[in-house]
């Protein structure tokens, strides 16, 4: 079998996994979900889901990967449960689907970085003609997926780990810089108030479902990305505390993104944050409104702050596309024994091709732009939104549900315990491990099962449980 490589240090593993988790989901989606879901009211539900439900699933994923030293499909087989490799295939499918549209959004962000640093703030006025220019966006998305493939093709320690060690600290610096700047803008305080004061009247069942979907997507759970990264960990690495640190980092950076975004929105709307729940979408705010904000700062400061913002977005996207590309690549390496570089570049080409409908569905083709009207909805959604719902929400929550069932009832307690318990555990990791055992058996299967089912009925059949 071909050498698989591995992380040099546990820090490298944590940074790469946190890089996978921290992405467009944190910076572009999260603040707007909070805005529409009642500020701190949403935040509380989100924190509950992240730590109570998602953290145990993350621990299980990393433990499965680490103990089998294999990517998902192979991992289930190695544990002796070949039928469960279906969960690995489901993860592969969701990874391919997510990456196919994620790469297009990453290309928009990366393209904006180029426009803004040249002082072209006017791109914001013509966002729809920007996204419908499929040749230009197609070129950006080829560059983005090639950059991703270049890093992944270099291997785990020389590619993924090195990139994460540079990009993650930079990302944190950039976000702190932007927060300090955003807090100095007029009405910043009004924005922060809106963010941190709860409005429980906005807490509907739909908000609760979307909080869970957002938590899964944001933590990169349910598709085996962390099984794959875990498979490159040393057999004696501490899984439970690593999972806790990754969960915490992801939630913390999402929280920071809110501290940056709410003051920006308050500045634009002159303190009228009601706009936050009616803003027709985060897309419009980020790609149409923000460039105008940057322009109003004058040519030099505008280029600087705007450039930093879109660089931040592109970096966040890149550390996530790396992990999304690693999953199918590792599958080809482990299962089909294909050489890593060949595997990476072929998957990248396939991703670009299956991303074409998403590329065209942002204005260039009306068929893909108004792709489907779902039951219970009045207007059509684009191919990209549809694929994001299938691959990014449904598949992930079903995958997470199955992983928790597998860990609790098929793999069983003694094996899972052996996989996560250390020879000399610290008090904290022992305490966390006890919690994970309890939650993976008694909490995750029930709650994830109910929420996945109700979300499916709601999204695809228009059945509402309000
Ligand atoms: N977690 C990433 C984000 O928030 C997206 C992602 C999902 C990455 C699943 C890998 C796997 O943007």
């Amino acid at each position: 079998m071909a050498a698989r490589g591995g992380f040099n240090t546990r820090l490298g593993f944590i940074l790469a996994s946190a890089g996978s988790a921290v992405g467009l989901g944190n910076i572009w989606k999260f603040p707007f979900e909070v805005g529409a879901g009642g500020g701190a009211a949403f935040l509380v539900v989100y924190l509950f889901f992240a730590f109570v439900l998602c953290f145990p699933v993350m621990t299980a994923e990393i433990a499965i990967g680490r103990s089998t030293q294999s990517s998902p499909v192979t991992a289930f087989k190695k544990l002796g449960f070949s039928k469960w490799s279906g969960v690995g295939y489901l993860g592969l499918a969701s990874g391919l689907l997510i990456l196919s549209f994620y790469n297009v959004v990453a290309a928009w962000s990366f393209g904006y970085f180029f426009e803004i640093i040249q002082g072209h703030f006017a791109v914001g006025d013509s966002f729809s003609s920007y996204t419908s220019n499929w040749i230009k966006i197609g070129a950006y998305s080829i560059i983005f997926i090639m950059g991703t493939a270049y890093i992944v093709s270099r291997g785990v320690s020389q590619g993924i780990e090195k990139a994460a060690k540079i990009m993650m600290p930079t990302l944190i610096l950039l976000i702190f810089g932007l927060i300090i700047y955003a807090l100095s803008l007029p009405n910043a305080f009004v924005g922060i108030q809106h963010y941190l004061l709860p409005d429980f009247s906005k807490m509907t069942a739909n908000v609760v479902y979307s909080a869970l979907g957002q938590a899964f997507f944001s933590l990169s759970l349910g598709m085996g990305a962390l099984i794959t990264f875990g498979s490159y960990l040393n057999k004696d690495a501490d899984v439970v505390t690593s999972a806790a640190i990754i969960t915490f980092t992801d939630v913390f950076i999402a929280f920071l993104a809110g501290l940056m975004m709410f003051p920006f929105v308050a500045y634009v709307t002159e303190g009228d944050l009601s706009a936050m729940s009616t803003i027709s979408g985060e897309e419009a705010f980020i790609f149409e409104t923000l460039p105008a904000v940057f322009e109003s700062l004058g040519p030099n400061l505008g280029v600087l702050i705007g450039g930093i913002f879109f660089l931040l977005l592109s970096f966040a996207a890149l550390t996530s596309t790396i992990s999304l590309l690693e999953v199918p690549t590792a599958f080809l390496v482990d299962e089909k024994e294909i050489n890593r570089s060949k595997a990476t570049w072929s998957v990248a080409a396939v991703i670009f091709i299956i991303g074409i409908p998403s590329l065209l569905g942002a204005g260039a083709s009306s068929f893909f732009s108004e792709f489907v009207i779902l039951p219970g909805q009045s207007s059509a959604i684009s191919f990209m939104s549809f694929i994001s719902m299938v691959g990014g929400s449904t598949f992930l929550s079903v995958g997470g549900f199955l992983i928790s069932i597998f860990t609790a009832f098929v793999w069983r307690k003694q094996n899972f315990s052996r996989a996560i318990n250390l020879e000399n555990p610290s008090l904290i990791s022992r305490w966390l491990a006890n919690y994970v055992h309890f939650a993976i058996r008694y909490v995750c299967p029930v709650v994830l099962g109910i929420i996945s089912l109700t979300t499916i009925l709601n999204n695809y059949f228009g059945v509402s449980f309000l």
Side-chain angles (χ1 to χ4, degrees), residues 328-412:
T329 301
F331 165 76
L332 292 179
V333 173
D334 289 351
E335 195 69 9
K336 310 281 172 207
E337 306 204 359
I338 295 177
N339 135 321
R340 170 175 269 274
S341 162
K342 208 172 176 186
T344 316
W345 291 101
S346 348
V347 180
V350 169
I351 294 291
F352 176 74
I353 294 166
I354 55 178
I356 290 176
S358 295
L359 177 67
L360 298 178
S365 137
S366 55
F367 174 73
F368 288 119
S369 304
E370 283 155 38
F371 185 64
V372 58
I373 302 183
L374 292 164
Q377 301 290 326
S378 51
S379 51
I381 59 170
S382 68
F383 184 82
M384 190 191 268
S385 311
F386 181 68
I387 288 297
S388 129
M389 199 169 104
V390 176
S393 154
T394 311
F395 283 11
L396 294 186
S397 53
V398 172
F401 167 68
L402 293 173
I403 288 169
S404 63
I405 295 277
F406 173 81
T407 309
F409 303 106
V410 182
W411 198 21
R412 292 187 186 270

